[in-house]
Amino acid sequence: MLRSVDNIVVVLGYDAERIRDTVIDEFSGVLPDRVSFIVNTDYDKEENWLSLKLGLDAVSLPVIINEGDAVFPSKIIENMSSLRGNILACKKSQDAVMKVSVNSDGFVEQMTKDPLPSFYGDYIGLCRLEGPLPEWKQKKYYEFDLIATSPFRVMEIYDQPFVNMNRQIDYLKALEIYEG
């Protein structure tokens, strides 16, 4: 899969040096020389929109954005790489955290963590951005600025497993996905 990727930018925050060193040690020989690290020194003052902005400043579009706490099989990224346009990876679920609703044309209409009477599913923390870059207005959830700037379609991940690691149990599920 890495052969189809021009650059990998990893944006680090808390304990950046230790994490960078661990990634380099664990993946030496596997990480291509196309991997670079950027440090968000304001990680504790801002939401993840700033990390995304720093990463986007270092690359050209199109780009695939993968949140650091989102774990899923690489097949999902491979599928997304083959598509064109702005795309959010979602899983149909009534237990969604970041709820996504779509209009009758299949474009994302709304994203929210608030209750919605009906919605498509859960955004899994993976998207493809072809452009344009958003104006950073929300300064909270970057996703809201993305969909306000450009139309996004949904890529359904169907039965592929995924987890956003927020709790100890999520870490154990992530290990199952990674080892599987």
Side-chain angles (χ1 to χ4, degrees), residues 8-125:
I8 299 172
V9 176
V10 180
V11 182
L12 303 168
Y14 173 77
D15 212 2
E17 187 174 322
R18 185 179 65 83
I19 293 169
R20 187 199 72 225
D21 292 346
T22 300
V23 168
I24 290 170
D25 289 346
E26 289 292 321
F27 296 100
S28 64
V30 176
L31 278 179
D33 57 1
R34 299 164 296 177
V35 177
S36 60
F37 296 90
I38 296 173
V39 177
N40 175 1
T41 56
D42 290 327
Y43 68 88
D44 59 342
K45 298 177 187 82
E46 298 290 348
E47 296 288 339
N48 61 0
W49 74 270
L50 182 57
S51 292
L52 178 62
K53 182 183 181 316
L54 292 170
L56 288 173
D57 288 346
V59 297
S60 58
L61 298 178
V63 63
I64 292 180
I65 300 163
N66 178 15
E67 293 183 15
D69 65 349
V71 178
F72 42 80
S74 61
K75 179 105 176 114
I76 294 174
I77 292 180
E78 291 171 21
N79 290 343
M80 182 170 276
S81 296
S82 69
L83 301 173
R84 297 293 170 256
N86 297 318
I87 301 163
L88 298 177
C90 295
K91 184 169 186 102
K92 283 194 176 183
S93 168
Q94 291 306 305
D95 299 323
V97 175
M98 182 61 85
K99 297 165 197 70
V100 175
S101 63
V102 296
N103 64 24
S104 60
D105 295 324
F107 288 97
V108 175
E109 191 170 62
Q110 182 180 11
M111 293 178 73
T112 183
K113 288 190 174 185
D114 295 331
L116 285 177
S118 67
F119 54 91
Y120 177 88
D122 197 7
Y123 171 60
I124 70 164

